[in-house]
Amino acid sequence: MPSDLPVDHNPRHQLITTEAGNSCLQLTGSYTLVSLNPSLPAVARELAQLASQPGLYWDLTNIHQLDYAGAVMLWQIWGEQRPDHLLLRPEQEQMFQRLEKVVSLPEPTQRKWFLPVSLLGQQLLRFFDHLAGMISLSGQIVLDIVYLMTHPSRIPVREISANLYRTGAQALGITAIVGFLIGIVLSYLSSEQLHMLGADIYIVNILGMSIIRELGPMLAAILVAGRSGSAMTAQLGVMRVTEELDALTVMGIPHSLRLVLSKIIGLSLALPLIVLWTSSVALLGGLLAADLQVGLSIRYAVTTLPDAVPIANLWLGLGKGVVCGMAIALIACHFGLRIKPNTESLGEGTTNSVVTSITAVIIIDAIFAVAFSSIGIRVAG
Amino acid sequence: MTTAEPVIEIAGLTTRFGQNVIHENINLTVLKGEVLALVGGSGSGKTTLLRQMLGLITPAQGSVKVFGATHYDCGHEKERELRTRSGVLFQQGALFSALTVFDNIALPMRELRILSETMVRDLVMLKLGMVGVEAQHVHKMPSELSGGMIKRVALARALALDPELLFLDEPTAGLDPALSESFVELIRSLREELALTIVMVTHDLDTLVAISDRVVVLANRSIVALGPIPDIIANGRHPFIKDFFGGARGRNALRIFQQL
Ligand SMILES: Nc1ncnc2c1ncn2[C@@H]1O[C@H](COP(=O)(O)OP(=O)(O)O)[C@@H](O)[C@H]1O
Ligand SMILES: [Mg+2]
């Protein structure tokens, strides 16, 4: 209770007997949210006990201050109706008249069913809905590309270059650190094992194959999916919330062309370059570690690398970069454009976008592994 | 206004954003039960002054006291009490976009943790009734409401805790004349019913004339005029006052005073 309030602000009550012999509950002090905080539940309980007396008179005329919180408290103690004997001041009368007119809360129109079967069905429908949306967005992009081929001056060069910088150049630092560390760990673990077999020099084959064909592209794609995919979704989402997308549309600037296509082109150019960069740094880290661990000279390693790793693996890695870049940007834009104008949808859309694009990256990797299983791998014998 | 105790006391207030001085040595007292309007040119610091009173900005110099306490060094309990005793209607409504109309208004009540859910339900429906929002809208999301409806729901949320003090930032901006007139009427009737003290920022002369008791004119970083509208028109020397009240729109809105 705030101590600086005058004493009469506390909610008080006393039971008296009138001249006519009736018992009368006199309320004094203040019944407001401030004066009832935090004692409201206790006061309500006490009054409710007294209210059970039959034929009780309620006298509210001496209340110093009554607000709607206090009025609703009394109203509920009385069972949402006036007690038989009630004394009110005119302004209190007005408050209780309002309370009598309060309409009850209508039921929400559509009930949510959380049965497992319908939940599963909903998920499935949502999945197909997203799939259809993604396909129609890709179709729109193809149409845009066809249009740009006939109108080359309309190519959004500035946006593409801005996307290249944001998703490519600004990602160099983080991909380098992660790549370098993974290279060191991989090299450290495998060189120990190879050393036991006396096959030290094969470290070049292991590092080269795994990093160039598999690890470099995957690391780069997953990092970019988390970093740029979420940024793209959030950007489009905020533009939806602030009606910027609508502003673009009414200016005759189609957002599929200016926003989506430029992101897809930008990322499908940037990601292969980042793959190249991540793979090189990871290899460098691995070879440095091998040099320190088993004394394999870097010069020797670099000269044997072309023999150990067929060049097709490099093209495969870069190809994965292009495809993953397109997929990440497409997924990010799809989820971004679907965000509804509220904050919760923004968070949900961004999360879904990142999770989906990382899953897509791994699926693409698996498809590549199966489709190109005979390319770039030397089989013994 | 015989028992005029001060609700807000601003003394020697100076506000700065970097090198940019917005207010210099402002002194102002808001009395219990009055409607005080802040007017001034665009960028004269009306919103900033309102944000000072709300404790959203800390003054560079001077003090802002609300109910006798300063927002930024009065302790948790007192701060909560101050927030319970005042309500704010933001210019864009600032409804929580992820919550329904019902939950938006219930949020400050539930936050107190002393009201039962049935009390919250009755109070929310009561406040919605006061501002004239029909029951069919309670389960809608803010994005499904029209501009006028957003203002009403935001006003209901501002009134959720039965505040004594209400802040309104441009209450009628963005409403059409009919809607804005009914909104002003609503504020006036609520003021009489709930004995509110109101501080409002407005550009709209009709609103100003309809509900304000006193007007504060902000210009050149300080208060250039303060008082009831007829006094300001009679004595105001500042060019802004002449432009604001003397233009065609001004004369139109002020005819009411000539009729008195
Ligand atoms: N957060 C801020 N940072 C820097 N300058 C601000 C900030 N908020 C307001 N200003 C500046 O303060 C001045 C007054 O702003 P404001 O109070 O919004 O004016 P108005 O009277 O139109 O409501 C403007 O010049 C504005 O640029
Ligand atoms: Mg403003």
Side-chain angles (χ1 to χ4, degrees), chain B residues 17 20 22 41-48:
Chain B
F17 290 116
N20 193 0
I22 312 293
S42 197
S44 59
K46 306 180 294 292
T47 301
T48 309

Side-chain angles (χ1 to χ4, degrees), chain A residues 25-96:
Chain A
L25 192 60
Q26 255 189 352
L27 304 186
T28 53
S30 282
Y31 282 75
T32 63
L33 208 46
V34 175
S35 69
L36 285 167
N37 192 2
S39 61
L40 189 141
V43 172
R45 226 174 302 124
E46 226 170 294
L47 289 177
Q49 262 171 13
L50 293 168
S52 56
Q53 282 185 39
L56 182 71
Y57 280 68
W58 289 82
D59 181 1
L60 273 58
T61 51
N62 294 317
I63 288 184
H64 177 75
Q65 212 183 351
L66 177 71
D67 71 2
Y68 277 104
V72 166
M73 181 187 81
L74 292 171
W75 189 245
Q76 299 213 328
I77 288 170
W78 299 335
E80 315 235 324
Q81 60 183 18
R82 284 171 190 250
D84 298 333
H85 314 287
L86 177 62
L87 293 173
L88 293 175
R89 290 205 302 263
E91 73 269 17
Q92 295 170 344
E93 177 65 37
Q94 211 184 354
M95 292 174 87
F96 285 103

Side-chain angles (χ1 to χ4, degrees), chain A residues 16 20-21 51 57 66 87 109 113 137 144 202 219 232 238 324 335:
Chain A
I16 56 167
Y57 280 68
L66 177 71
L87 293 173
T109 40
W113 293 100
L137 188 61
D144 283 341
Y202 284 105
L219 275 180
M232 287 175 178
V238 171
C324 287
F335 279 99

Side-chain angles (χ1 to χ4, degrees), chain A residues 228-243:
Chain A
S228 306
S230 59
M232 287 175 178
T233 307
Q235 186 204 359
L236 290 178
V238 171
M239 288 181 84
R240 163 77 70 212
V241 174
T242 54
E243 297 185 322

Side-chain angles (χ1 to χ4, degrees), chain A residues 2 4 33-34 36-38 40-41 67-69 72-73 76 80 98 102-103 105-108 342-344, chain B residues 78 81 85 97-98 102 112 114-116 118-119 121-123 125-127 130 135 138-139 161-162 193-194:
Chain A
D4 55 348
L33 208 46
V34 175
L36 285 167
N37 192 2
L40 189 141
D67 71 2
Y68 277 104
V72 166
M73 181 187 81
Q76 299 213 328
E80 315 235 324
R98 250 196 204 285
V102 164
V103 282
L105 179 68
E107 286 291 309
N342 70 63
T343 46
E344 193 146 306
Chain B
K78 186 77 188 165
E81 189 201 318
R85 294 172 74 181
S97 57
F102 183 90
L112 290 174
I114 54 169
L115 301 175
S116 66
T118 49
M119 282 185 73
R121 200 190 55 213
D122 275 5
L123 279 170
M125 296 314 288
L126 178 85
K127 305 287 152 139
M130 274 185 187
V138 294
H139 294 301
L161 300 182
D162 288 298
E193 189 181 333
L194 307 175

Side-chain angles (χ1 to χ4, degrees), chain B residues 17 20 22-23 40-49 51 57 169-170 201 203 218:
Chain B
F17 290 116
N20 193 0
I22 312 293
H23 304 127
S42 197
S44 59
K46 306 180 294 292
T47 301
T48 309
L49 189 59
R51 290 170 66 83
I57 312 176
D169 193 357
E170 306 263 0
V201 169
H203 270 124
L218 280 176

